[in-house]
Amino acid sequence: MSTLLLSPNQIDRAVSLLKAGEPVAIPTETVYGLAAPIFNEEGVKKIFFLKGRPSDNPLIAHVTSLEMAEQVVDTSSPHFRPLVNRFWPGPLTLVLPKKERVPDIVSGGHSTLGVRMPKHKIALQLIEAVGEPLVAPSANLSGKPSPTCFEHVLEDFAATLAAVIDGGECSLGIESTVLSLVGETPVILRPGSITREQLEKVLRCSIAIADEKTPAVSPGMKYRHYAPKGTVRIISHPSEIGGAFVLSKDPISPYLHRPLSAKTFYMYLREADRTGAEVIWVFLDPVSATDEALMNRLLRSAGF
Ligand code: TXA
Ligand code: MG
Protein backbone atom coordinates (compact mmCIF):
# COMPACT_ATOMS: atom_id res chain seq x y z
CA MET A 1 0.00 0.00 0.00
CA SER A 2 1.36 3.44 -0.77
CA THR A 3 0.22 6.08 1.68
CA LEU A 4 -1.97 8.94 0.41
CA LEU A 5 -0.66 12.37 1.38
CA LEU A 6 -3.76 14.50 1.91
CA SER A 7 -3.85 18.29 2.10
CA PRO A 8 -6.01 20.05 4.73
CA ASN A 9 -8.70 20.67 2.08
CA GLN A 10 -9.05 16.93 1.43
CA ILE A 11 -10.63 16.19 4.80
CA ASP A 12 -13.55 14.41 3.05
CA ARG A 13 -11.17 11.72 1.80
CA ALA A 14 -9.90 11.20 5.33
CA VAL A 15 -13.44 10.99 6.71
CA SER A 16 -14.39 8.28 4.18
CA LEU A 17 -11.31 6.23 5.04
CA LEU A 18 -11.91 6.58 8.79
CA LYS A 19 -15.55 5.54 8.44
CA ALA A 20 -14.45 2.54 6.35
CA GLY A 21 -12.20 1.34 9.22
CA GLU A 22 -8.87 2.59 7.79
CA PRO A 23 -6.71 4.50 10.29
CA VAL A 24 -5.48 7.93 9.10
CA ALA A 25 -2.58 9.89 10.59
CA ILE A 26 -3.66 13.38 11.63
CA PRO A 27 -1.89 16.47 12.91
CA THR A 28 -2.53 17.81 16.42
CA GLU A 29 -0.79 20.61 18.31
CA THR A 30 1.28 18.07 20.27
CA VAL A 31 2.34 15.27 17.87
CA TYR A 32 0.73 13.47 14.92
CA GLY A 33 -1.83 10.86 15.95
CA LEU A 34 -2.94 7.62 14.29
CA ALA A 35 -6.71 8.02 14.29
CA ALA A 36 -9.82 5.83 14.16
CA PRO A 37 -13.43 6.49 15.25
CA ILE A 38 -13.86 5.25 18.84
CA PHE A 39 -16.82 2.98 18.01
CA ASN A 40 -15.22 1.50 14.88
CA GLU A 41 -13.62 -1.66 16.30
CA GLU A 42 -12.06 -2.62 12.99
CA GLY A 43 -10.22 0.71 12.76
CA VAL A 44 -9.19 0.55 16.43
CA LYS A 45 -7.80 -2.98 15.97
CA LYS A 46 -5.77 -1.80 12.99
CA ILE A 47 -4.19 0.96 15.08
CA PHE A 48 -2.81 -1.62 17.54
CA PHE A 49 -1.66 -3.83 14.67
CA LEU A 50 0.03 -1.06 12.66
CA LYS A 51 1.88 0.36 15.67
CA GLY A 52 2.79 -3.03 17.12
CA ARG A 53 1.21 -1.69 20.30
CA PRO A 54 0.65 -4.00 23.30
CA SER A 55 -3.08 -4.61 23.61
CA ASP A 56 -3.15 -3.51 27.28
CA ASN A 57 -1.93 0.01 26.45
CA PRO A 58 -5.04 2.23 26.30
CA LEU A 59 -5.81 4.84 23.62
CA ILE A 60 -6.76 8.49 24.15
CA ALA A 61 -10.13 9.75 22.85
CA HIS A 62 -10.15 13.16 21.12
CA VAL A 63 -13.33 15.25 21.36
CA THR A 64 -14.65 18.62 20.21
CA SER A 65 -17.06 19.36 23.06
CA LEU A 66 -17.90 18.51 26.66
CA GLU A 67 -21.02 16.72 25.42
CA MET A 68 -18.85 14.48 23.28
CA ALA A 69 -16.60 13.76 26.27
CA GLU A 70 -19.68 12.82 28.30
CA GLN A 71 -20.58 10.17 25.72
CA VAL A 72 -17.43 8.22 26.58
CA VAL A 73 -16.42 9.07 30.18
CA ASP A 74 -17.99 9.92 33.53
CA THR A 75 -17.25 13.64 33.98
CA SER A 76 -18.63 13.98 37.51
CA SER A 77 -15.21 14.58 39.12
CA PRO A 78 -15.23 18.05 40.73
CA HIS A 79 -11.87 18.70 39.06
CA PHE A 80 -13.16 18.14 35.53
CA ARG A 81 -14.88 21.47 34.82
CA PRO A 82 -12.20 23.82 36.21
CA LEU A 83 -9.48 22.01 34.24
CA VAL A 84 -11.46 21.88 31.04
CA ASN A 85 -12.43 25.56 31.29
CA ARG A 86 -8.80 26.53 31.67
CA PHE A 87 -6.91 24.06 29.45
CA TRP A 88 -9.21 22.78 26.67
CA PRO A 89 -8.71 22.84 23.79
CA GLY A 90 -5.08 22.01 24.54
CA PRO A 91 -2.47 19.45 25.58
CA LEU A 92 -4.21 18.05 28.68
CA THR A 93 -5.54 14.47 28.70
CA LEU A 94 -7.87 13.64 31.59
CA VAL A 95 -8.22 10.01 32.68
CA LEU A 96 -11.73 9.28 33.96
CA PRO A 97 -14.02 6.28 34.47
CA LYS A 98 -15.00 4.96 31.05
CA LYS A 99 -18.62 4.57 29.94
CA GLU A 100 -19.63 0.99 29.31
CA ARG A 101 -20.48 1.54 25.65
CA VAL A 102 -16.81 2.24 24.85
CA PRO A 103 -15.29 -0.99 23.49
CA ASP A 104 -12.78 -2.64 25.86
CA ILE A 105 -10.20 -2.83 23.10
CA VAL A 106 -9.98 1.01 23.17
CA SER A 107 -9.08 1.11 26.86
CA GLY A 108 -6.83 -1.95 26.76
CA GLY A 109 -9.26 -3.72 29.08
CA HIS A 110 -9.06 -0.97 31.73
CA SER A 111 -12.09 0.68 33.33
CA THR A 112 -10.79 4.20 32.62
CA LEU A 113 -10.33 6.27 29.48
CA GLY A 114 -8.19 9.32 28.66
CA VAL A 115 -9.93 12.21 26.83
CA ARG A 116 -8.68 15.47 25.43
CA MET A 117 -9.79 18.25 23.10
CA PRO A 118 -6.94 19.01 20.69
CA LYS A 119 -6.09 22.62 19.80
CA HIS A 120 -5.78 22.02 16.09
CA LYS A 121 -8.21 23.10 13.38
CA ILE A 122 -7.76 20.03 11.17
CA ALA A 123 -8.14 17.57 14.06
CA LEU A 124 -11.28 19.34 15.31
CA GLN A 125 -12.82 19.49 11.80
CA LEU A 126 -12.21 15.78 11.32
CA ILE A 127 -13.77 14.76 14.64
CA GLU A 128 -16.82 16.92 13.85
CA ALA A 129 -17.14 15.45 10.37
CA VAL A 130 -16.88 11.86 11.63
CA GLY A 131 -19.41 12.68 14.36
CA GLU A 132 -17.81 10.71 17.20
CA PRO A 133 -14.56 10.89 19.22
CA LEU A 134 -11.41 9.82 17.40
CA VAL A 135 -8.96 7.68 19.31
CA ALA A 136 -5.37 8.49 18.42
CA PRO A 137 -2.11 7.32 19.91
CA SER A 138 1.03 9.00 18.61
CA ALA A 139 1.58 7.97 14.97
CA ASN A 140 4.87 6.12 15.45
CA LEU A 141 5.83 2.47 15.64
CA SER A 142 5.59 1.41 19.27
CA GLY A 143 8.75 2.43 21.12
CA LYS A 144 9.97 4.94 18.49
CA PRO A 145 10.15 8.74 18.88
CA SER A 146 6.77 10.42 18.26
CA PRO A 147 6.20 12.16 14.91
CA THR A 148 6.04 15.96 14.72
CA CYS A 149 5.53 16.28 10.94
CA PHE A 150 4.02 14.05 8.23
CA GLU A 151 7.46 12.95 7.00
CA HIS A 152 8.09 11.26 10.38
CA VAL A 153 4.81 9.36 10.01
CA LEU A 154 5.92 8.11 6.60
CA GLU A 155 9.28 6.97 8.03
CA ASP A 156 7.38 4.48 10.18
CA PHE A 157 4.28 3.65 8.10
CA ALA A 158 4.92 4.41 4.39
CA ALA A 159 4.06 0.90 3.27
CA THR A 160 1.26 0.13 5.70
CA LEU A 161 -0.92 3.20 6.30
CA ALA A 162 -3.81 4.38 4.06
CA ALA A 163 -3.32 8.14 4.48
CA VAL A 164 -1.70 10.99 6.38
CA ILE A 165 -2.93 14.60 6.44
CA ASP A 166 -0.21 17.21 6.05
CA GLY A 167 -0.82 19.75 8.77
CA GLY A 168 2.76 21.03 8.87
CA GLU A 169 4.96 20.91 11.95
CA CYS A 170 3.29 20.40 15.34
CA SER A 171 3.45 23.60 17.37
CA LEU A 172 4.32 21.88 20.70
CA GLY A 173 6.26 18.80 19.53
CA ILE A 174 5.70 16.78 22.73
CA GLU A 175 2.68 14.74 23.84
CA SER A 176 -0.06 15.99 26.17
CA THR A 177 0.14 15.98 29.94
CA VAL A 178 -1.87 12.95 31.15
CA LEU A 179 -3.67 13.56 34.45
CA SER A 180 -5.72 10.91 36.23
CA LEU A 181 -8.84 12.15 38.04
CA VAL A 182 -9.87 8.66 39.11
CA GLY A 183 -8.58 8.58 42.70
CA GLU A 184 -8.96 11.14 45.47
CA THR A 185 -5.72 12.93 44.58
CA PRO A 186 -5.14 13.86 40.93
CA VAL A 187 -2.02 12.12 39.58
CA ILE A 188 0.15 13.13 36.62
CA LEU A 189 0.72 9.92 34.66
CA ARG A 190 2.81 11.59 31.97
CA PRO A 191 4.38 15.07 32.20
CA GLY A 192 3.72 17.40 29.26
CA SER A 193 3.79 21.09 28.45
CA ILE A 194 1.08 21.83 31.02
CA THR A 195 2.97 21.63 34.30
CA ARG A 196 2.09 20.41 37.77
CA GLU A 197 2.28 24.02 39.02
CA GLN A 198 -0.26 25.19 36.41
CA LEU A 199 -2.62 22.35 37.32
CA GLU A 200 -2.29 22.91 41.06
CA LYS A 201 -3.02 26.61 40.61
CA VAL A 202 -6.35 25.83 38.96
CA LEU A 203 -7.35 22.98 41.31
CA ARG A 204 -5.99 24.58 44.48
CA CYS A 205 -4.89 21.20 45.75
CA SER A 206 -1.70 19.22 45.50
CA ILE A 207 -1.17 16.81 42.67
CA ALA A 208 0.95 13.66 42.72
CA ILE A 209 3.34 12.54 40.01
CA ALA A 210 3.28 8.84 39.18
CA ASP A 211 6.50 6.88 39.22
CA GLU A 212 7.38 3.35 38.19
CA LYS A 213 6.15 2.10 41.58
CA THR A 214 2.61 3.49 41.20
CA PRO A 215 0.63 0.30 40.54
CA ALA A 216 -0.38 0.01 36.87
CA VAL A 217 -1.62 3.59 36.59
CA SER A 218 -0.22 4.22 33.14
CA PRO A 219 0.27 1.00 31.26
CA GLY A 220 2.43 2.82 28.70
CA MET A 221 5.07 3.57 31.33
CA LYS A 222 6.24 -0.01 31.59
CA TYR A 223 7.24 -0.17 27.91
CA ARG A 224 10.39 1.28 26.37
CA HIS A 225 9.57 4.59 24.71
CA TYR A 226 10.78 7.31 22.39
CA ALA A 227 13.92 5.37 21.53
CA PRO A 228 16.05 6.17 18.47
CA LYS A 229 18.32 3.50 16.93
CA GLY A 230 21.40 5.26 18.30
CA THR A 231 22.29 5.08 21.99
CA VAL A 232 21.36 8.22 23.94
CA ARG A 233 24.08 9.30 26.40
CA ILE A 234 23.36 12.09 28.82
CA ILE A 235 26.31 14.04 30.19
CA SER A 236 26.67 17.13 32.27
CA HIS A 237 30.00 18.46 30.99
CA PRO A 238 30.65 19.30 27.34
CA SER A 239 34.35 18.39 27.37
CA GLU A 240 33.38 14.72 27.76
CA ILE A 241 31.62 14.64 24.38
CA GLY A 242 33.18 12.24 21.96
CA GLY A 243 30.47 11.58 19.38
CA ALA A 244 29.19 13.01 16.15
CA PHE A 245 25.63 14.00 17.02
CA VAL A 246 25.18 16.43 19.88
CA LEU A 247 22.05 17.92 21.41
CA SER A 248 22.64 20.86 23.74
CA LYS A 249 21.17 24.25 24.55
CA ASP A 250 24.13 26.18 23.07
CA PRO A 251 26.56 25.07 20.35
CA ILE A 252 29.43 23.48 22.27
CA SER A 253 31.43 21.33 19.92
CA PRO A 254 32.69 21.04 16.36
CA TYR A 255 30.38 18.05 15.86
CA LEU A 256 26.90 17.99 14.32
CA HIS A 257 25.01 20.09 16.83
CA ARG A 258 21.26 20.59 17.32
CA PRO A 259 19.55 22.62 20.05
CA LEU A 260 18.02 20.76 22.98
CA SER A 261 14.34 21.60 23.58
CA ALA A 262 11.08 19.75 24.22
CA LYS A 263 9.59 21.05 20.98
CA THR A 264 12.36 19.70 18.74
CA PHE A 265 13.56 16.69 20.75
CA TYR A 266 11.80 13.97 18.73
CA MET A 267 12.65 15.66 15.44
CA TYR A 268 16.36 15.56 16.22
CA LEU A 269 16.30 11.98 17.52
CA ARG A 270 14.87 11.01 14.15
CA GLU A 271 17.45 13.12 12.31
CA ALA A 272 20.23 11.44 14.31
CA ASP A 273 18.92 8.07 13.15
CA ARG A 274 18.89 9.20 9.52
CA THR A 275 22.53 10.29 9.80
CA GLY A 276 23.36 6.83 11.18
CA ALA A 277 24.67 8.26 14.48
CA GLU A 278 25.56 5.41 16.82
CA VAL A 279 25.62 7.67 19.85
CA ILE A 280 23.47 10.74 20.46
CA TRP A 281 25.22 12.85 23.06
CA VAL A 282 22.96 15.07 25.13
CA PHE A 283 24.64 17.80 27.13
CA LEU A 284 22.21 18.54 29.91
CA ASP A 285 22.29 22.19 31.03
CA PRO A 286 20.69 23.25 34.34
CA VAL A 287 17.74 25.00 32.66
CA SER A 288 16.77 22.01 30.48
CA ALA A 289 17.13 19.77 33.54
CA THR A 290 14.15 21.57 35.14
CA ASP A 291 11.84 20.87 32.15
CA GLU A 292 9.82 17.90 33.45
CA ALA A 293 8.36 16.87 30.10
CA LEU A 294 11.71 17.02 28.32
CA MET A 295 13.48 15.15 31.15
CA ASN A 296 10.82 12.43 31.14
CA ARG A 297 11.23 11.80 27.39
CA LEU A 298 15.02 12.18 27.50
CA LEU A 299 15.48 9.63 30.29
CA ARG A 300 13.14 7.17 28.59
CA SER A 301 14.86 7.58 25.22
CA ALA A 302 18.09 6.70 27.02
CA GLY A 303 16.48 3.52 28.34
CA PHE A 304 15.91 4.55 31.96
O1 TXA B 1 -0.56 14.45 22.81
C1 TXA B 1 -1.03 13.30 22.88
O2 TXA B 1 -1.55 12.85 23.91
C2 TXA B 1 -0.97 12.45 21.60
C3 TXA B 1 -1.82 13.12 20.53
C4 TXA B 1 -1.91 12.34 19.25
O3 TXA B 1 -3.08 13.42 21.04
N1 TXA B 1 -1.39 11.10 21.88
C5 TXA B 1 -0.61 10.24 22.59
O4 TXA B 1 -1.15 8.97 22.74
O5 TXA B 1 0.48 10.55 23.03
P1 TXA B 1 -0.25 7.70 23.15
O6 TXA B 1 -1.19 6.56 23.07
O7 TXA B 1 0.96 7.64 22.31
O8 TXA B 1 0.15 7.92 24.63
C6 TXA B 1 -0.85 7.86 25.63
C7 TXA B 1 -0.24 7.56 26.98
C8 TXA B 1 0.24 6.13 27.09
O9 TXA B 1 1.44 6.10 27.85
C9 TXA B 1 -0.90 5.44 27.82
O10 TXA B 1 -0.46 4.34 28.59
C10 TXA B 1 -1.42 6.56 28.71
O11 TXA B 1 -1.24 7.76 27.97
N2 TXA B 1 -2.86 6.37 28.92
C11 TXA B 1 -3.85 6.49 28.00
N3 TXA B 1 -5.03 6.15 28.53
C12 TXA B 1 -4.80 5.83 29.83
C13 TXA B 1 -5.63 5.37 30.90
N4 TXA B 1 -6.93 5.18 30.76
N5 TXA B 1 -5.03 5.12 32.09
C14 TXA B 1 -3.72 5.29 32.24
N6 TXA B 1 -2.88 5.72 31.26
C15 TXA B 1 -3.41 5.98 30.07
MG1 MG C 1 2.98 7.42 22.07
Side-chain angles (χ1 to χ4, degrees):
M1 180 189 290
S2 68
T3 307
L4 279 175
L5 178 59
L6 301 176
S7 69
N9 55 22
Q10 289 178 298
I11 285 208
D12 293 355
R13 280 296 279 286
V15 173
S16 310
L17 287 165
L18 288 165
K19 286 186 170 171
E22 282 298 334
V24 173
I26 65 167
T28 80
E29 81 280 29
T30 58
V31 300
Y32 275 66
L34 190 56
I38 194 166
F39 297 113
N40 187 318
E41 291 200 40
E42 192 190 335
V44 174
K45 268 187 205 148
K46 279 190 194 158
I47 288 180
F48 281 91
F49 175 74
L50 287 171
K51 278 182 64 86
R53 184 177 178 99
S55 61
D56 66 349
N57 196 358
L59 305 179
I60 293 174
H62 297 69
V63 299
T64 56
S65 66
L66 300 198
E67 293 69 35
M68 205 183 257
E70 277 156 13
Q71 287 169 19
V72 292
V73 287
D74 172 356
T75 60
S76 62
S77 160
H79 300 312
F80 180 75
R81 283 279 171 162
L83 289 172
V84 160
N85 288 342
R86 171 69 181 79
F87 297 112
W88 279 12
L92 178 65
T93 296
L94 297 173
V95 171
L96 293 159
K98 143 180 133 53
K99 291 264 166 87
E100 225 169 82
R101 69 167 78 97
V102 176
D104 281 341
I105 178 179
V106 167
S107 61
H110 301 270
S111 59
T112 57
L113 181 70
V115 277
R116 84 175 188 100
M117 188 188 294
K119 193 175 188 169
H120 196 289
K121 210 170 131 196
I122 298 173
L124 294 170
Q125 278 175 355
L126 259 180
I127 301 164
E128 276 299 301
V130 172
E132 66 184 78
L134 291 180
V135 288
S138 51
N140 51 278
L141 289 172
S142 225
K144 290 283 159 203
S146 298
T148 59
C149 59
F150 83 84
E151 290 92 339
H152 295 166
V153 176
L154 293 179
E155 279 174 8
D156 287 9
F157 296 112
T160 55
L161 180 66
V164 54
I165 303 176
D166 178 8
E169 234 174 74
C170 299
S171 60
L172 297 175
I174 198 157
E175 304 92 335
S176 60
T177 303
V178 179
L179 181 72
S180 170
L181 297 180
V182 173
E184 203 141 293
T185 306
V187 185
I188 293 179
L189 304 181
R190 179 179 68 184
S193 42
I194 294 176
T195 63
R196 178 192 204 168
E197 288 69 33
Q198 285 176 288
L199 296 166
E200 286 181 337
K201 214 169 149 195
V202 170
L203 295 184
R204 299 205 195 111
C205 71
S206 56
I207 288 175
I209 297 193
D211 58 29
E212 303 291 336
K213 284 170 254 125
T214 316
V217 278
S218 188
M221 287 172 76
K222 64 179 189 250
Y223 300 109
R224 181 137 196 242
H225 260 90
Y226 323 121
K229 291 191 201 103
T231 307
V232 174
R233 296 240 166 90
I234 305 167
I235 53 170
S236 57
H237 198 281
S239 65
E240 292 168 37
I241 289 177
F245 201 101
V246 175
L247 283 172
S248 66
K249 197 157 173 284
D250 304 307
I252 49 166
S253 78
Y255 304 106
L256 190 53
H257 166 264
R258 295 288 179 265
L260 178 64
S261 83
K263 178 177 170 169
T264 53
F265 183 59
Y266 292 135
M267 177 167 99
Y268 292 136
L269 289 188
R270 282 181 177 265
E271 184 189 353
D273 276 353
R274 285 196 303 276
T275 67
E278 282 172 17
V279 182
I280 300 158
W281 296 92
V282 178
F283 169 47
L284 190 58
D285 61 280
V287 174
S288 301
T290 62
D291 182 331
E292 274 174 17
L294 174 63
M295 284 307 291
N296 172 272
R297 308 311 191 273
L298 175 55
L299 291 173
R300 295 177 75 82
S301 73
F304 292 104

